[in-house]
Amino acid sequence: MADPSLTSPSRTPLRSPNASLTLSFPFLRERSRVWEDGKDHPLPRDLPSPLPTKRNRTYSATVRAQSSPVFKGICKNFSRSQGHGFLRPSHGGEDIFVHISDIEGEYVPVEGDEVRYKVSRVPPKNLKVQAVEVKIVHLNPGTKHETWSGQIISS
């Protein structure tokens, strides 16, 4: 047992190390890694994406993307619920990532749609590229297409 006469610099009595200890913080900052008891932990879908979207792309990256040449490709896959997909360039090469915020037009792309796009480098190392200003130029015939508002259209 600790001597009850011993106190800490803040004048609170010291306790035995065998007693249960509780830690408290004077305040919790928003977005800190410490959560209060009873609060739900953030889900992976709630965490910010490390990929630059149209909303968080820097001005210089936006200017470079706008001055990029226009490429043609085919939509390899796209998941509206996940918010991203991949394009297959018509000139060959690796598939290119596309984020939902970079798709222009009224339709959600589906596999086989012909698209035109520009590319932007992905920081921090600028080794990979992602498609920006993606426009569907020809809908894949025989497939159902969905508008961003949820209306289904057969092509």
Side-chain angles (χ1 to χ4, degrees):
M1 283 279 168
D3 184 4
S5 64
L6 294 176
T7 60
S8 70
S10 64
R11 305 277 185 233
T12 58
L14 294 176
R15 299 187 317 188
S16 165
N18 295 334
S20 64
L21 295 175
T22 59
L23 297 176
S24 63
F25 296 95
F27 58 89
L28 290 173
R29 292 186 307 214
E30 188 177 344
R31 298 190 184 270
S32 69
R33 292 188 181 259
V34 180
W35 294 286
E36 294 178 30
D37 289 337
K39 285 195 172 181
D40 293 335
H41 297 293
L43 298 172
R45 69 174 182 264
D46 297 334
L47 299 176
S49 172
L51 294 168
T53 63
K54 186 185 292 186
R55 294 184 187 128
N56 64 11
R57 197 172 292 129
T58 62
Y59 177 75
S60 59
T62 303
V63 170
R64 282 193 303 269
Q66 289 174 344
S67 63
S68 169
V70 177
F71 297 97
K72 289 183 180 180
I74 306 254
C75 179
K76 181 178 177 183
N77 61 16
F78 186 82
S79 172
R80 182 176 182 172
S81 62
Q82 292 179 350
H84 63 83
F86 290 91
L87 305 177
R88 179 177 295 125
S90 59
H91 60 27
E94 289 186 28
D95 294 340
I96 297 177
F97 176 84
V98 60
H99 190 268
I100 194 169
S101 67
D102 290 312
I103 297 172
E104 299 177 0
E106 61 181 309
Y107 295 107
V108 178
V110 296
E111 183 179 347
D113 286 347
E114 293 180 29
V115 295
R116 287 194 178 150
Y117 61 93
K118 295 182 178 184
V119 295
S120 173
R121 297 251 175 222
V122 178
K125 294 183 180 180
N126 294 325
L127 298 177
K128 295 185 178 186
V129 294
Q130 77 178 61
V132 297
E133 297 183 25
V134 178
K135 297 175 187 163
I136 299 174
V137 292
H138 184 70
L139 300 174
N140 187 11
T143 59
K144 292 183 180 180
H145 283 81
E146 181 180 5
T147 63
W148 294 109
S149 63
Q151 183 180 3
I152 306 259
I153 297 170
S154 296
S155 59

